[in-house]
Every structure is written in structure tokens, then in C-alpha cells.
Amino acid sequence: MRRILRWSASAMVLALANAGCGEDVFGLDDVIGEWETRSINGQAVPGVVTVGGGIDVDVGYEHWTFLNGGDCTIEGEYDGTVDTVEQDDCQYTVDISQQTIAGSIFGTDFDGTINGDRMDIDFLGEDWVLRRR
């Protein structure tokens, strides 16, 4: 009986130890790539969203690309016109341990959190929800 109890205890310890081995570790690869804006201030994209304290904008799409090295680009269609933020005007850093992102667009700061394929960004007090493309 003791042998069975010891074996059961040993098996349980090994199972718990191995459970942590298969977990994904958050890294820069979880950020690099293309992301698509799904909502701004809780309003769906594509669609008309209210920003800047009352300005309605018809957002056709908004794609963010986070490049290796800390640069990013943003392309979007706003009120029927395509506009692009080039990588010289968009930079970011990632805090791996906190799973957060911080950066600036045209010198204005943004920050956010990353959880799997979802990124939540606060930019100028506006809430952007992005999904990996």
C-alpha cells in the first residue's frame, strides 16, 4: 500500500512539473506582425466611430504593423481617404515581463496590453482594440 501511495505522489509531482513545460512564453514574436483595429471606443471598425470628444469618422479599416527593431506603421481608410503613418513616425517598445507595449505616433505616446491575439491600446485617451491578422 505504501508503495502505491509513493508512486501516486511521485506521479502527481511529475504531472504538475510537466504541466508548466508546455506553456507558451510571451515574447517579441507575439507582437511583431500585422494587427487590425476591431473597435475604437467600443465602436466597431469598419464603421463610424466617435473620437476626439465628438468627431465622427467613418473608418473603413485600420492596419497596424509592428516591425522588428521597434518601428511600426499604420494604414487606414478614414472618411474614404487612405492615410499612412510611416515607420519614421511610429515607434514602440515591449515589456516582455508585463506583456505590455508602449510607443509614440508623431511624438504622441500610446500604451497597451497584449493578451494572445488581442491588443488593447490607449492613445489620446481613446481605446483601440486590435486583433492579430
Side-chain angles (χ1 to χ4, degrees), residues 2-75:
R2 285 185 184 190
R3 181 178 282 172
I4 292 172
L5 289 174
R6 270 186 277 166
W7 181 83
S8 286
S10 296
M12 188 177 294
V13 169
L14 286 173
L16 291 172
N18 286 334
C21 293
E23 292 180 17
D24 288 333
V25 176
F26 181 81
L28 192 55
D29 288 342
D30 293 303
V31 177
I32 293 174
E34 296 181 9
W35 295 75
E36 179 175 30
T37 301
R38 300 305 286 270
S39 69
I40 300 173
N41 295 326
Q43 300 165 326
V45 172
V48 176
V49 299
T50 304
V51 296
I55 301 168
D56 289 337
V57 179
D58 185 0
V59 181
Y61 68 89
E62 188 175 75
H63 300 152
W64 297 56
T65 303
F66 295 94
L67 306 166
N68 195 5
D71 290 324
C72 47
T73 63
I74 305 169
E75 178 182 291

Side-chain angles (χ1 to χ4, degrees), residues 62-128:
E62 188 175 75
H63 300 152
W64 297 56
T65 303
F66 295 94
L67 306 166
N68 195 5
D71 290 324
C72 47
T73 63
I74 305 169
E75 178 182 291
E77 181 184 317
Y78 312 98
D79 293 326
T81 302
V82 174
D83 196 7
T84 303
V85 176
E86 300 294 334
Q87 66 187 52
D88 292 343
D89 298 315
C90 184
Q91 292 80 36
Y92 75 97
T93 59
V94 176
D95 183 326
I96 300 295
S97 66
Q98 297 294 313
Q99 297 185 14
T100 58
I101 187 167
S104 68
I105 301 168
F106 295 116
T108 302
D109 294 338
F110 69 86
D111 59 62
T113 58
I114 303 127
N115 186 357
D117 288 338
R118 178 182 170 131
M119 186 181 304
D120 293 276
I121 291 180
D122 179 343
F123 179 61
L124 294 171
E126 313 276 342
D127 296 316
W128 267 253

